Amino acid sequence: MSNETAPAIGSDSPDRTRRRALYYLRAAEFVLATLVGLSVLAVGTVAVIAEVKGTWHWAIHLESTISYMGIFIGALTALLVPLVVTSLIVRGLFDA
């Protein structure tokens, strides 16, 4: 048997904690970027339907979709930009 003892529960090394935090930061970036992409896809889909249908009804749908998605994408971008900047700084400092 070995004389080494197992580390105490909840005692992570600083390097492991830093890598875990960077992982969650990257995951948040990917989730927000995916939501931005899906939002643009939704606007494009409504735009294609509005063009094919060619009615005022679908034009109204397109205008409201662009309006709401613009607000949504703006909010996502306000969250995404600081996350990306933080990620770049952390990767530069710790060379992760």
Side-chain angles (χ1 to χ4, degrees):
M1 295 192 69
S2 147
N3 289 336
E4 293 180 28
T5 59
I9 295 174
S11 64
D12 286 339
S13 69
D15 186 50
R16 185 173 179 187
T17 304
R18 184 175 45 229
R19 288 188 184 275
R20 183 179 297 152
L22 189 57
Y23 168 78
Y24 287 126
L25 183 66
R26 287 179 184 163
E29 289 174 23
F30 286 126
V31 167
L32 291 175
T34 301
L35 286 173
V36 168
L38 289 173
S39 299
V40 171
L41 184 64
V43 170
T45 302
V46 173
V48 168
I49 293 171
E51 183 66 28
V52 170
K53 294 284 187 173
T55 63
W56 63 269
H57 179 81
W58 278 98
I60 292 172
H61 282 301
L62 179 59
E63 288 178 18
S64 63
T65 301
I66 289 173
S67 174
Y68 289 124
M69 286 301 169
I71 295 168
F72 184 65
I73 290 173
L76 288 178
T77 304
L79 293 172
L80 188 59
V81 169
L83 284 177
V84 171
V85 170
T86 304
S87 177
L88 291 174
I89 290 171
V90 168
R91 290 184 75 181
L93 289 175
F94 298 112
D95 196 31

